């Protein structure tokens, strides 16, 4: 595959896109969903490297299938399989893999690791999740919102989103979406578990942190949550259960949202902790459409980075 001319482009945070690019990318993801497996194959002969330090189901499978359906291939590279697991510097790995691969999709812990990978790689680097950001999930989430509320839901204003739980990488990425799109975002989390204050400041009056899940959910179109203890925080699980008691998306909380509201969760879910089984399996849940949309959103993203139209 002939790589695009000019400077390579990375996708480390949602704000690596501007507003118009984000809207166009979500629109293109919807087109890929309609095309299914019958679409064009713009990544013929391209090989995507999946460099994953963290476990994954949806991210790993959706990127691999996306690459295949676009005409390319994907190769899984875990620390067990590479010299990264034996202490090889990231900068060396990035430069070597760039000689073999057309794109690096990286899932790791500290965000500065993926930034170092980006500095030394000569091919596009995609953030498949770090401790501070999960932008690929947001592409799927925004596609799901447009499916339920119309193509103009993100561009015309009036959208209200509630985040319930930890101010984690997902909350940060919702803040970045808020920065770009200007919707109303209310984040309910216990004290000491707030999202990135710099992102909160960038969102200005469009976003705020509250301490009451009911206040966040009131009148919301979208009610969003995630596990209380993310990967790498297992040692904090008991303390987090105590601190997050009451920050659960249940049937009573959904009564505060709009009647047409949807529920999102990036999965895997701890049913009975951050979300009840009844809500996750109920009529307002868009969780499994959201999971499917990872595939379509990532096809649009890979196309943008490797085969811009």
């Amino acid at each position: 595959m002939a790589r695009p001319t000019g400077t390579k482009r990375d996708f480390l945070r949602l704000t690596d896109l501007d507003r118009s690019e984000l809207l166009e990318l979500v629109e293109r993801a919807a087109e890929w969903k309609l095309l299914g497996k019958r679409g064009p194959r713009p990544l013929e002969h391209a090989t995507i490297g999946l460099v994953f330090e963290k476990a994954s189901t949806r991210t790993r499978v959706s990127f691999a299938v996306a690459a295949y359906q676009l005409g390319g291939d994907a190769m899984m590279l875990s620390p067990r399989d590479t010299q990264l697991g034996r202490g090889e510097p990231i900068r060396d790995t990035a430069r070597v893999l760039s000689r073999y691969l057309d794109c690096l999709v990286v899932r790791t812990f500290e965000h500065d690791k993926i930034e170092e990978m980006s500095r030394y790689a000569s091919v596009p680097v995609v953030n498949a999740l770090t401790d501070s950001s999960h932008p690929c999930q947001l592409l799927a989430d925004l596609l799901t919102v447009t499916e339920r509320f119309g193509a103009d839901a993100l561009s015309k204003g009036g959208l209200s989103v509630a985040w319930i739980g930890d101010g984690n990488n997902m909350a940060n990425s919702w803040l970045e979406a808020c920065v770009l799109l200007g919707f109303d975002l209310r984040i309910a989390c216990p004290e000491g578990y707030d999202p990135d204050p710099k992102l909160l400041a960038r969102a200005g009056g469009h976003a705020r942190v509250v301490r009451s899940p009911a206040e966040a959910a009131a009148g919301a179109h979208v009610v969003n949550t995630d596990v209380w203890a993310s990967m790498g925080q297992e040692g904090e699980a008991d303390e987090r259960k105590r601190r997050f008691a009451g920050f659960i998306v249940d049937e009573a909380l959904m009564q505060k949202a709009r009647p047409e509201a949807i529920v999102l969760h990036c999965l895997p879910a701890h049913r009975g902790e951050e979300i009840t089984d009844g809500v996750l399996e109920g009529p307002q849940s868009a969780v499994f459409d959201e999971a499917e949309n990872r595939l379509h959103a990532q096809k649009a993203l890979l196309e943008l980075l490797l085969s811009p139209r």
Side-chain angles (χ1 to χ4, degrees), residues 38-283:
R38 306 184 311 277
R41 297 169 68 84
L43 301 193
E44 190 172 5
H45 305 308
T47 305
I48 312 302
L50 305 178
V51 185
F52 280 27
E53 279 194 300
K54 288 187 173 185
S56 172
T57 299
R58 282 151 291 278
T59 303
R60 176 179 176 175
V61 175
S62 58
F63 265 112
V65 174
Y68 175 77
Q69 291 186 2
L70 293 174
D73 198 2
M75 177 181 296
M76 180 65 189
L77 300 165
S78 75
R80 297 186 306 275
D81 306 322
T82 67
Q83 296 298 333
L84 276 173
R86 299 181 63 193
E88 182 175 42
I90 291 172
R91 60 183 182 273
D92 293 354
T93 297
R95 287 181 286 195
V96 169
L97 291 180
S98 295
R99 304 293 182 102
Y100 306 142
L101 302 167
D102 297 281
C103 180
L104 301 178
V105 177
V106 181
R107 186 179 179 97
T108 187
F109 290 90
E110 300 89 347
H111 194 79
D112 58 4
K113 287 185 177 181
I114 200 168
E115 290 179 340
E116 183 176 359
M117 187 78 75
S118 167
R119 283 195 301 273
Y120 287 96
S122 58
V123 298
V125 174
V126 173
N127 180 0
L129 181 144
T130 66
D131 286 348
S132 65
S133 183
H134 197 1
C136 291
Q137 181 65 56
L138 256 289
L139 296 178
D141 291 359
L142 295 175
L143 173 58
T144 309
V145 169
T146 65
E147 288 178 333
R148 296 301 180 100
F149 297 107
D152 294 335
L154 303 179
S155 60
K156 292 294 182 66
L159 184 71
S160 178
V161 178
W163 177 268
I164 313 296
D166 190 18
N168 61 8
N169 50 8
M170 280 297 301
N172 288 338
S173 288
W174 271 105
L175 274 170
E176 292 193 324
C178 179
V179 168
L180 292 171
L181 300 173
F183 52 77
D184 177 57
L185 175 63
R186 297 185 297 275
I187 298 175
C189 54
E191 289 189 26
Y193 295 91
D194 290 358
D196 186 335
K198 293 180 180 178
L199 288 174
L200 189 63
R202 286 183 65 187
H206 295 293
R208 66 184 187 273
V209 170
V210 299
R211 302 304 176 199
S212 164
E215 182 180 351
H221 296 86
V222 180
V223 178
N224 212 326
T225 192
D226 193 5
V227 295
W228 292 339
S230 299
M231 285 179 284
Q233 297 173 334
E234 290 82 3
E236 304 173 27
D238 289 343
E239 173 65 12
R240 283 174 171 263
K241 284 182 182 179
R242 185 182 69 80
R243 295 294 302 278
F244 284 88
F247 287 80
I248 182 170
V249 177
D250 58 13
E251 290 81 352
L253 187 70
M254 291 307 300
Q255 290 293 317
K256 307 290 185 182
R258 292 173 179 264
E260 70 273 23
I262 62 171
V263 174
L264 298 180
H265 191 307
C266 62
L267 298 178
H270 293 167
R271 299 172 187 237
E273 288 188 7
E274 76 276 0
I275 190 168
T276 63
D277 191 76
V279 170
L280 189 62
E281 297 289 355

Side-chain angles (χ1 to χ4, degrees), residues 21-30 139 142-143 146 154:
E21 287 175 324
L22 176 57
L23 293 172
E24 289 170 7
L25 194 57
V26 172
E27 181 180 0
R28 182 57 173 163
L139 296 178
L142 295 175
L143 173 58
T146 65
L154 303 179

